[in-house]
Amino acid sequence: MGNNGSTGASDKPSDTSSRRASRKKPSGGVSRRALLIGGGVVAAGTVAVLVRDEVKQAWWRVPGVEKPRKAGELDYGAATWVAASEANWRRADRPDDFRIDRVIIHVTQGSFDSAVRVFQDPAHRAATHYIVGQDGRVVQMIRELDVAYQAGNRSFNERAIGIEHEGFVDRPKDLTKAMYESSARLTASICARYDIPIDREHIIGHVEVPGTDHTDPGPHWDWDRYLKLVRRAATAPPSPTPSASTSASASVKAE
């Protein structure tokens, strides 16, 4: 969040036309017309089978058709799902409509629980995809395929995944070992999913987003330490993670 506890949402579309986004062409040479007519391609034998398989896998790439999604589904298995207000994000189909090439690091300027409540508040008009607590717990509040109003810059919002960290920018003690390590594992998994380089050009602070007036993650955030942890997590063998989300009441305390 930074500064006044507001993540920033200046990119919120003002009309329906701004919601339209360009889509990638379906792979494998299957035309949009072939998809629209349900794969009615004149072909024989193996070619026909390949076309049917491609259509089956790529039907949702047609403009106006969204990927299948399930409420509460997690993109990061070690997280707990707690939904943000729909006023704080925009429905999308990333990375097919917008390429994901950044991770943006934030600091909440408050407690873990207060950040969750703020992101559930429709009046806030801002949120990030994840929040990481000082104890290392992770909550996911927005699907990675959707656009979070997090950075006050529409282009960066459309291309980035945001991670909040519990604490205050002027209190180095808030940046705990458990938080660094948990966040690094999360960022490593994001970078692996979208082929994002692990460097300071692609893993940035909110303060580095063009046009922002925020200062987080602040002068005490140890970037060298963090990137080393992300690289280490990226090369570590995978560990078992929960297969299903847990209810908000199981992980988020009421203050």
Side-chain angles (χ1 to χ4, degrees), residues 49-100:
V49 172
L50 291 174
V51 169
R52 286 199 303 271
D53 287 346
E54 186 65 29
V55 169
K56 182 177 180 181
Q57 295 171 13
W59 66 268
W60 46 260
R61 294 179 186 268
V62 178
V65 178
E66 296 180 333
K67 295 185 186 73
R69 59 172 76 201
K70 181 179 179 181
E73 188 173 7
L74 294 167
D75 295 297
Y76 180 61
T80 297
W81 176 260
V82 182
S85 168
E86 293 185 1
N88 297 331
W89 55 274
R90 187 171 90 233
R91 198 173 181 91
D93 281 312
R94 303 190 307 171
D96 293 291
D97 46 8
F98 304 107
R99 178 170 55 103
I100 298 175

Side-chain angles (χ1 to χ4, degrees), residues 60 66-77 79-86 88-98 100 102 119 127-131 139-150 156-163 186 190 193-194 243-245:
W60 46 260
E66 296 180 333
K67 295 185 186 73
R69 59 172 76 201
K70 181 179 179 181
E73 188 173 7
L74 294 167
D75 295 297
Y76 180 61
T80 297
W81 176 260
V82 182
S85 168
E86 293 185 1
N88 297 331
W89 55 274
R90 187 171 90 233
R91 198 173 181 91
D93 281 312
R94 303 190 307 171
D96 293 291
D97 46 8
F98 304 107
I100 298 175
R102 294 288 190 280
F119 292 169
T128 56
H129 296 88
Y130 295 96
I131 305 173
V139 65
Q140 181 172 0
M141 302 196 70
I142 300 170
R143 288 293 308 278
E144 290 179 4
L145 50 78
D146 292 322
V147 175
Y149 301 147
Q150 58 165 313
F156 274 70
N157 285 354
E158 289 173 342
R159 294 160 45 203
I161 292 173
I163 306 174
L186 169 58
I190 294 168
R193 276 193 288 285
Y194 304 105
S243 58
S245 60

Side-chain angles (χ1 to χ4, degrees), residues 18-249:
S18 64
R19 293 176 181 267
R20 299 193 187 98
S22 61
R23 307 269 176 158
K24 290 182 180 178
K25 293 181 180 179
S27 59
V30 180
S31 70
R32 177 174 180 271
R33 177 174 174 79
L35 292 175
L36 289 173
I37 63 176
V41 179
V42 178
T46 303
V47 175
V49 172
L50 291 174
V51 169
R52 286 199 303 271
D53 287 346
E54 186 65 29
V55 169
K56 182 177 180 181
Q57 295 171 13
W59 66 268
W60 46 260
R61 294 179 186 268
V62 178
V65 178
E66 296 180 333
K67 295 185 186 73
R69 59 172 76 201
K70 181 179 179 181
E73 188 173 7
L74 294 167
D75 295 297
Y76 180 61
T80 297
W81 176 260
V82 182
S85 168
E86 293 185 1
N88 297 331
W89 55 274
R90 187 171 90 233
R91 198 173 181 91
D93 281 312
R94 303 190 307 171
D96 293 291
D97 46 8
F98 304 107
R99 178 170 55 103
I100 298 175
D101 62 6
R102 294 288 190 280
V103 176
I104 301 179
I105 302 299
H106 304 258
V107 169
T108 61
Q109 290 297 90
S111 71
F112 184 96
D113 296 323
S114 65
V116 171
R117 286 198 303 271
V118 164
F119 292 169
Q120 292 177 314
D121 179 0
H124 188 59
R125 300 289 176 170
T128 56
H129 296 88
Y130 295 96
I131 305 173
V132 180
Q134 291 176 356
D135 58 2
R137 59 179 162 160
V138 179
V139 65
Q140 181 172 0
M141 302 196 70
I142 300 170
R143 288 293 308 278
E144 290 179 4
L145 50 78
D146 292 322
V147 175
Y149 301 147
Q150 58 165 313
N153 180 306
R154 178 173 179 171
S155 176
F156 274 70
N157 285 354
E158 289 173 342
R159 294 160 45 203
I161 292 173
I163 306 174
E164 285 279 5
H165 297 81
E166 178 186 13
F168 293 84
V169 297
D170 58 349
R171 296 200 323 210
K173 67 178 183 178
D174 289 353
L175 306 178
T176 66
K177 180 176 184 289
M179 177 189 288
Y180 270 118
E181 291 180 348
S182 178
S183 176
R185 289 191 293 270
L186 169 58
T187 294
S189 73
I190 294 168
C191 290
R193 276 193 288 285
Y194 304 105
D195 197 24
I196 302 173
I198 300 174
D199 58 35
R200 286 288 285 114
E201 181 181 352
H202 297 88
I203 304 173
I204 65 173
H206 190 178
V207 66
E208 297 170 280
V209 175
T212 188
D213 60 355
H214 290 244
T215 61
D216 57 315
H220 301 297
W221 184 266
D222 191 334
W223 283 107
D224 289 339
R225 175 186 180 186
Y226 187 65
L227 289 180
K228 287 179 182 177
L229 289 170
V230 175
R231 293 186 184 108
R232 182 185 305 167
T235 58
S239 58
T241 54
S243 58
S245 60
T246 308
S247 65
S249 60

